[in-house]
Amino acid sequence: MMKKILTYILFSSVLLLGGCKDFLDLPPKNQRAVTTLNDVKSALAGYLDAFVRTNTKPIIGPSPIITEAQNMMFEAYSDNFDFAGNMSQYINAKNIHAQEKFYANKLLFNDTETTDYIWNNYYAAIGFLNALIDQCDNLKDADPSELKRVKGEMLVHRAFYIFKLQQYFVPMDKEELGIPLYLHTGQEEIDIVMDRKKSSEIYRVVTGDLKAALEYYQSEGPNDGFNRFFNARFIQNLLAQVYWFKAESSAKESTDYEQAKVYAEAATKDVDALIPNTLVAFQNVQRNLNPDYPAVYQQSVSFGMLMPIYGSNLDYIGYSPNSLKVPADFFSLFDDTDIRKAAYFTGSVMSSTWPDGMVNGQKHIRIHLFTPEEAYLILTESQYRLGQQDQALATLNKFKGFRGAKAKAGLNGTELLQEIVNERRKEFFCDTDKRWLDLKRYNIGNIERKLRFFNKEYTVKVEAGDYHYALPIPLTELQENPAMVPNMGWNPIVF
């Protein structure tokens, strides 16, 4: 039986329990009474603080919201690097940043530690937010405007975590294999079964929560000193992402691209002057030096955590990995005038100053959520999918102009769609999970690797749309949750 949610919340780190049910059915530990709106805000502030200060970890959930290990795993599971050509740099006595097992797990699609972390921490955050959202509904004497601002903030965060779990762990073509989800109301429920929901049901929850938050924002506006995700542009940006991704899934509806277009247009309104169009401005955004740039920024606490995949900041004194190669077909996509080419590469190899332009690049993970660039490219594709090809090409060329890339002419049909996909690949190089999600969504992820680890040859072949594009459900979840259906195909490698 699901325990009744009392007026308590977690104020310490959640233990990694047996399954998502343990997070969604949130029992009180190290308790503090939550009886007023200020209590809810105080609890939420301990989570939101990590979105304000880079040296702070939240009281619950991942830190940062997309971790270094997560970023590197999705890059390793993608096609932007020539990993076979870089092996001598990765497995190298001068590489002090990672051991051979790290690369074996990442490059052979065997990183269960990271997938387990995502599952556990994202569900823990959802459970935490569920409990506080429930409590908001019981605060009858609270200021109604501030209550909407606080609840709206939490609805957007919860929607983000649910959406990401759906993107990561659910096959694109299996309607019945959505993620498990229970949004309790604080009332006692009996015999709750944590089975996999239909994907369409999950998307209804996500879009419903975001639209409710948007209504709260439009009626009340933000508390600028408190809110982080509760922002009309950010909410509409996330709605555009959700409808865009959903439109190619088993849950697709005929109106998805129209909805994606509406919200992408709203998210890009009056942003052109804020999008960087020079190399220095582009790099300054990466360092969070432009306070007007309309996105939520997070930076990892630990210096240099991305070096194992993206290159050592100590390459100038001979440490590996350095001068990392990318596939020739990817490099050839960049015009010489493209500011991204100068930001990413030295010659044809990865620049040691990526991503920030600083000598001996710092290699923090730098996350920008809800960027106008992402909304622009969603708008472009939505126009294309709605048969507005001339508008799509015009929007695409406008976007290319921000980056100094050459405009295209005469593109239509599949050529235009391919150019949109290529533009996304250039724009989101090394950006969290985006290329892996594109390989999944566009059904284009064919990868074959023959690599040697621990004096043994390994071959991994990933075909477009196969099981590699729905991450493995953690073993603890399968053991503790009899209703859970696994993602088939995964067989962990023991080195």
Side-chain angles (χ1 to χ4, degrees):
M1 180 180 74
M2 296 287 285
K3 301 178 182 68
K4 185 176 181 181
I5 301 299
L6 304 176
T7 54
Y8 295 100
I9 63 164
L10 286 175
F11 248 68
S12 64
S13 298
V14 171
L15 298 176
L16 297 184
L17 304 176
C20 64
K21 180 178 184 295
D22 294 302
F23 297 120
L24 298 179
D25 176 19
L26 195 64
K29 296 179 183 293
N30 293 339
Q31 301 155 348
R32 167 180 170 172
V34 177
T35 58
T36 68
L37 179 57
N38 281 337
D39 292 335
V40 173
K41 291 179 68 174
S42 177
L44 186 60
Y47 163 81
L48 292 178
D49 196 38
F51 295 90
V52 183
R53 297 183 293 174
T54 60
N55 62 345
T56 302
K57 291 189 176 184
I59 61 173
I60 201 165
S63 179
I65 200 166
I66 296 178
T67 68
E68 299 94 338
Q70 192 172 343
N71 188 101
M72 290 188 289
M73 181 189 75
F74 284 121
E75 195 70 69
Y77 287 11
S78 301
D79 62 351
N80 280 337
F81 280 90
D82 178 4
F83 289 114
N86 292 328
M87 283 302 294
S88 63
Q89 285 292 322
Y90 290 139
I91 310 301
N92 188 313
K94 292 184 178 180
N95 180 359
I96 62 174
H97 307 295
Q99 301 299 313
E100 187 169 0
K101 189 174 181 179
F102 169 92
Y103 294 107
N105 282 326
K106 288 284 193 288
L107 301 183
L108 297 177
F109 293 75
N110 196 53
D111 190 4
T112 56
E113 180 178 349
T114 299
T115 56
D116 289 0
Y117 177 93
I118 295 169
W119 181 275
N120 288 320
N121 280 274
Y122 279 26
Y123 271 115
I126 292 169
F128 168 78
L129 293 165
N130 281 346
L132 289 181
I133 290 169
D134 284 348
Q135 199 56 33
C136 283
D137 294 335
N138 296 324
L139 301 178
K140 305 303 182 183
D141 297 326
D143 174 78
S145 293
E146 188 68 0
L147 184 61
K148 287 181 179 179
R149 296 184 189 107
V150 174
K151 186 175 179 181
E153 179 77 32
M154 294 188 289
L155 288 173
V156 183
H157 284 266
R158 186 173 71 177
F160 177 87
Y161 289 117
I162 295 170
F163 178 47
K164 283 299 172 184
L165 287 167
Q166 179 74 12
Q167 286 186 306
Y168 295 163
F169 290 94
V170 175
M172 293 296 289
D173 58 349
K174 298 290 191 298
E175 165 68 2
E176 70 280 8
L177 293 182
I179 62 168
L181 189 64
Y182 178 66
L183 305 180
H184 52 68
T185 62
Q187 302 298 315
E188 288 190 353
E189 300 284 350
I190 298 175
D191 296 329
I192 294 298
V193 177
M194 277 319 220
D195 56 351
R196 299 183 73 153
K197 307 301 182 185
K198 290 184 177 180
S199 289
S200 54
E201 182 178 344
I202 300 302
Y203 282 112
R204 280 196 296 271
V205 169
V206 172
T207 57
D209 278 359
L210 291 174
K211 288 178 181 179
L214 184 58
E215 288 182 6
Y216 291 160
Y217 185 92
Q218 290 167 341
S219 68
E220 309 303 335
N223 178 339
D224 290 325
F226 185 81
N227 290 125
R228 300 300 159 202
F229 283 17
F230 188 64
N231 172 295
R233 190 184 301 281
F234 300 162
I235 297 168
Q236 291 172 120
N237 189 305
L238 186 51
L239 274 164
Q241 292 180 46
V242 172
Y243 280 111
W244 168 83
F245 195 83
K246 174 176 174 283
E248 295 300 313
S249 76
S250 62
K252 63 185 175 185
E253 296 176 278
S254 60
T255 57
D256 284 338
Y257 280 115
E258 187 60 48
Q259 291 291 302
K261 179 186 173 185
V262 167
Y263 289 114
E265 286 177 332
T268 55
K269 185 179 179 181
D270 300 326
V271 298
D272 290 4
L274 304 176
I275 296 177
N277 57 13
T278 68
L279 176 60
V280 171
F282 183 81
Q283 291 171 329
N284 282 346
V285 163
Q286 298 301 316
R287 295 171 60 193
N288 199 36
L289 297 180
N290 181 355
D292 297 322
Y293 183 67
V296 174
Y297 176 82
Q298 271 196 303
Q299 178 178 299
S300 57
V301 175
S302 302
F303 167 80
M305 291 295 288
L306 293 174
M307 289 187 281
I309 291 292
Y310 297 116
S312 175
N313 69 312
L314 303 174
D315 62 347
Y316 68 103
I317 54 175
Y319 281 92
S320 296
N322 63 65
S323 302
L324 297 173
K325 303 172 185 176
V326 299
D329 69 304
F330 175 43
F331 185 75
S332 68
L333 297 178
F334 293 88
D335 299 322
D336 287 341
T337 55
D338 194 321
I339 62 175
R340 295 167 297 192
K341 185 175 184 179
Y344 300 157
F345 304 111
T346 297
S348 62
V349 298
M350 186 77 171
S351 172
S352 64
T353 68
W354 172 89
D356 47 34
M358 298 177 68
V359 176
N360 311 318
Q362 301 299 295
K363 298 298 190 298
H364 291 287
I365 187 172
R366 292 182 164 99
I367 299 166
H368 287 92
L369 302 175
F370 321 127
T371 66
E373 290 89 342
E374 187 161 13
Y376 248 113
L377 291 174
I378 290 173
L379 174 59
T380 303
E381 185 177 339
S382 298
Q383 292 170 331
Y384 165 80
R385 300 282 189 177
L386 293 168
Q388 302 162 2
Q389 298 202 27
D390 290 345
Q391 293 180 43
L393 182 57
T395 305
L396 179 63
N397 282 331
K398 181 180 180 180
F399 184 85
K400 285 176 175 287
F402 295 135
R403 299 302 192 231
K406 296 177 182 177
K408 297 288 184 178
L411 295 182
N412 54 60
T414 57
E415 288 182 329
L416 177 54
L417 178 60
Q418 185 59 57
E419 190 63 27
I420 294 169
V421 175
N422 290 346
E423 196 65 29
R424 290 182 60 87
R425 189 178 184 186
K426 289 184 290 182
E427 180 64 24
F428 302 131
F429 177 53
C430 303
D431 187 339
T432 58
D433 52 17
K434 290 187 175 62
R435 179 58 180 172
W436 184 80
L437 288 172
D438 278 6
L439 295 176
K440 175 176 183 170
R441 181 183 177 276
Y442 292 110
N443 200 34
I444 55 175
N446 289 299
I447 297 169
E448 186 169 0
R449 294 178 188 157
K450 296 182 179 179
L451 303 172
R452 187 175 183 84
F453 294 106
F454 305 110
N455 298 314
K456 182 179 178 180
E457 298 290 339
Y458 291 90
T459 298
V460 60
K461 186 174 183 180
V462 179
E463 297 180 346
D466 77 6
Y467 72 88
H468 292 91
Y469 293 101
L471 297 179
I473 306 300
L475 179 60
T476 53
E477 183 71 42
L478 298 174
Q479 291 172 335
E480 298 294 329
N481 183 357
M484 175 58 65
V485 177
N487 287 335
M488 303 303 293
W490 294 95
N491 294 301
I493 303 170
V494 178
F495 299 107

